[in-house]
Amino acid sequence: MVDINKQRVDLPPEPAACAPETDEQRALRQSERKFRMLFHNAGDAIFLWELRPGEPPVLIEANEVAARRLGYRLGDMPGMKLSDITTAPPEEAAATLARLARDKHGTFESTLRTCENAVVPVEISSHIFNLGDQTVLLSVARDISRRKAEELKLNEMYQREKGLREALEAEIGKRVDFTRALVHELKTPLTPLIASGEALLEILQDEDELRLAGNIFRGAMNLERRINDLLDFARGEMGVLKVRCQPVDITPLLLDLAAEVSPQFDRKNQSLELEIDDTIPLVLADEDRLRQILLNLLNNAGKFTPRGGEITIGAHVDGKMLQLSVTDTGRGMSPEEQAHIFKPYYRVEDDAEPNDGMGIGLTLCKMLINLQGGEIWFQSEKGRGSTFFFTLPLAVNRE
Ligand code: ADP
């Protein structure tokens, strides 16, 4: 593309005056020369058309930029018709002219045609005014080829991105449907198993039978929890895992959870302590998800801590966040293990403490905590225990 701004037009030298000029004539000549200079060296193509009622506009004059951009010799341009240099269909050109005749000025996008039939997109700013007894149309056409090319490229990229997004959404939708159907199939037979196990626990008297019924019930509950975790994890991976946050009073929730997990800790002779602030403001969280996170961390603490160990739940306000923690005096983790624990399906097999987990618990905790606007991290030392910390936003910001 020719860079029209880089090319300057010099006017021919002034002819020697044949008769002495008056001051007025000299001022007029200099003014004319100045405006001619401006006209030909403007950054945009300029066209001056004569408008006659009922006739198509006729070009009176164009500037150098116009001639260069359209590939004509400047002297050949006067007398050209609108249809010689524009690609606009006649009806469209007529409508534009009618609008201009009414408003006397206007700015619009159009396309010019070069002498080689190439199309140049332009933004045209037009004015109609009278010059003596002539009505003229002045059109300044700015070349917007670069902008149009960028717009085209952007639009192509947008269309491509849109297509990919739609395909991805359809794929995610299919997977969500499949996972939902799979979970339904897996959970349906579990429901009567859990209900019957629970009923047996209430009816049976014999110690051995009670133990067996307890095993069935806990096993079925455990399986259900894992299926739910798997479904959540699959949703998280597909980016469709949702949380519904609202103000939650955390103290009763922690007391309730402690009561729920106590029996399983008792079985391993583990102690459970609560070290929580006396008054904790409401936090903004999804209560069910919060339970799920804490249960996951508490289960891990119990699982990876030997008999007689200590587990502590902490809750302390820290600025605009509540910091919760689960500490254990268990086996802790080596730096190598620590590097992987938030990766899906990572789990450490230990002969002393068999691990029946799937290795998605912590990944899921992280997803759920992040969705609620919090962070999760930990401190751990091999053989000395671990603390898992996470934060949740307070419901009301306290500066
Ligand atoms: P899993 O369901 O297998 O426990 P997690 O994602 O919850 O999966 O944990 C991943 C791994 O992180 C565990 O297999 C274990 O090696 C380690 N881990 C998690 N919590 C603790 C803990 N409290 N003490 C020691 N190791 C832990």
Side-chain angles (χ1 to χ4, degrees):
M1 193 189 303
V2 186
D3 190 345
I4 49 185
N5 294 318
K6 292 267 159 57
Q7 301 193 10
R8 284 182 54 82
V9 175
D10 288 320
L11 293 179
E14 287 186 84
C18 5
E21 288 176 310
T22 64
D23 286 352
E24 215 171 74
Q25 280 172 327
R26 190 176 325 106
L28 196 64
R29 185 173 48 76
Q30 282 174 353
S31 167
E32 158 77 8
R33 197 170 160 74
K34 189 168 73 190
F35 283 106
R36 219 133 259 289
M37 227 15 213
L38 277 174
F39 180 64
H40 286 297
N41 285 294
D44 299 322
I46 304 176
F47 305 89
L48 197 63
W49 304 88
E50 182 180 6
L51 298 180
R52 287 204 202 119
E55 288 180 32
V58 177
L59 192 63
I60 304 172
E61 191 172 6
N63 70 349
E64 273 282 345
V65 177
R68 218 169 24 238
R69 190 67 187 96
L70 300 185
Y72 292 106
R73 284 199 2 227
L74 189 61
D76 292 345
M77 293 199 75
M80 282 183 158
K81 303 269 177 342
L82 208 51
S83 53
D84 295 329
I85 64 153
T86 174
T87 60
E91 323 78 65
E92 192 186 307
T96 309
L97 282 171
R99 221 174 27 248
L100 284 172
R102 188 192 62 212
D103 299 341
K104 302 293 175 230
H105 60 86
T107 303
F108 51 94
E109 284 188 10
S110 187
T111 39
L112 299 184
R113 187 211 314 269
T114 70
C115 67
E116 284 166 343
N117 253 337
V119 175
V120 183
V122 284
E123 186 181 78
I124 298 183
S125 173
S126 290
H127 278 84
I128 292 184
F129 55 96
N130 293 326
L131 209 59
D133 52 3
Q134 267 183 328
T135 305
V136 295
L137 166 68
L138 176 75
S139 291
V140 179
R142 174 156 300 177
D143 187 337
I144 53 170
S145 312
R146 208 167 287 166
R147 193 179 90 199
K148 284 285 163 191
E150 297 278 315
E151 274 175 21
L152 200 71
K153 209 157 48 181
L154 267 180
N155 193 41
E156 275 170 17
M157 278 160 69
Y158 169 73
Q159 292 302 340
R160 206 172 33 230
E161 197 271 341
K162 193 164 155 244
L164 283 174
R165 185 159 35 83
E166 280 166 6
L168 188 67
E169 275 167 9
E171 185 60 27
I172 289 176
K174 263 193 268 169
R175 287 187 189 201
V176 170
D177 290 348
F178 171 75
T179 315
R180 199 174 288 138
L182 182 68
V183 166
H184 178 74
E185 290 303 311
L186 290 172
K187 280 175 84 167
T188 306
L190 267 183
T191 313
L193 205 61
I194 292 172
S196 308
E198 205 168 11
L200 278 178
L201 283 176
E202 280 173 21
I203 304 165
L204 295 175
Q205 304 287 331
D206 181 84
E207 284 272 314
D208 287 341
E209 288 174 351
L210 268 175
R211 194 168 40 77
L212 290 174
N215 286 347
I216 293 172
F217 178 66
R218 275 195 302 279
M221 288 294 283
N222 205 354
L223 193 55
E224 189 184 41
R225 191 167 58 80
R226 286 181 194 202
I227 292 171
N228 287 338
D229 277 0
L230 261 180
L231 175 62
D232 283 342
F233 177 68
R235 283 188 175 133
E237 291 266 274
M238 291 182 265
V240 293
L241 183 62
K242 299 269 180 296
V243 292
R244 265 189 300 263
C245 294
Q246 48 193 11
V248 175
D249 189 357
I250 200 118
T251 309
L253 185 141
L254 292 178
L255 293 173
D256 197 48
L257 266 178
E260 188 178 328
V261 293
S262 279
Q264 91 191 43
F265 289 162
D266 287 347
R267 277 196 291 278
K268 276 180 86 176
N269 214 15
Q270 293 163 332
S271 69
L272 176 64
E273 299 287 332
L274 262 83
E275 282 180 8
I276 62 177
D277 287 354
D278 289 341
T279 48
I280 302 179
L282 298 178
V283 291
L284 207 55
D286 182 322
E287 190 164 343
D288 291 340
R289 296 309 196 171
L290 185 50
R291 267 175 184 280
Q292 188 180 348
I293 294 161
L294 281 161
L295 269 179
N296 223 313
L297 296 179
L298 286 165
N299 275 332
N300 277 353
K303 191 160 65 174
F304 299 115
T305 299
R307 295 187 70 79
E310 290 162 25
I311 286 126
T312 311
I313 300 175
H316 306 286
V317 173
D318 182 11
K320 295 175 183 174
M321 308 295 275
L322 177 70
Q323 182 179 298
L324 289 137
S325 58
V326 174
T327 303
D328 64 59
T329 55
R331 70 169 201 216
M333 292 175 280
S334 66
E336 155 69 12
E337 287 171 63
Q338 292 181 23
H340 299 289
I341 59 163
F342 287 118
K343 290 186 186 152
Y345 310 115
Y346 177 79
R347 43 198 285 279
V348 176
E349 289 293 354
D350 187 322
D351 291 342
E353 296 278 339
N355 181 1
D356 59 355
M358 293 183 291
I360 57 168
L362 286 175
T363 317
L364 191 55
C365 283
K366 188 169 160 51
M367 283 176 179
L368 290 169
I369 290 166
N370 293 162
L371 281 173
Q372 293 174 81
E375 299 286 338
I376 181 168
W377 70 101
F378 61 89
Q379 283 167 1
S380 185
E381 200 180 326
K382 188 82 185 156
R384 313 202 82 172
S386 316
T387 300
F388 281 84
F389 301 92
F390 69 97
T391 51
L392 288 173
L394 297 180
V396 179
N397 264 344
R398 297 172 352 144
E399 291 301 333

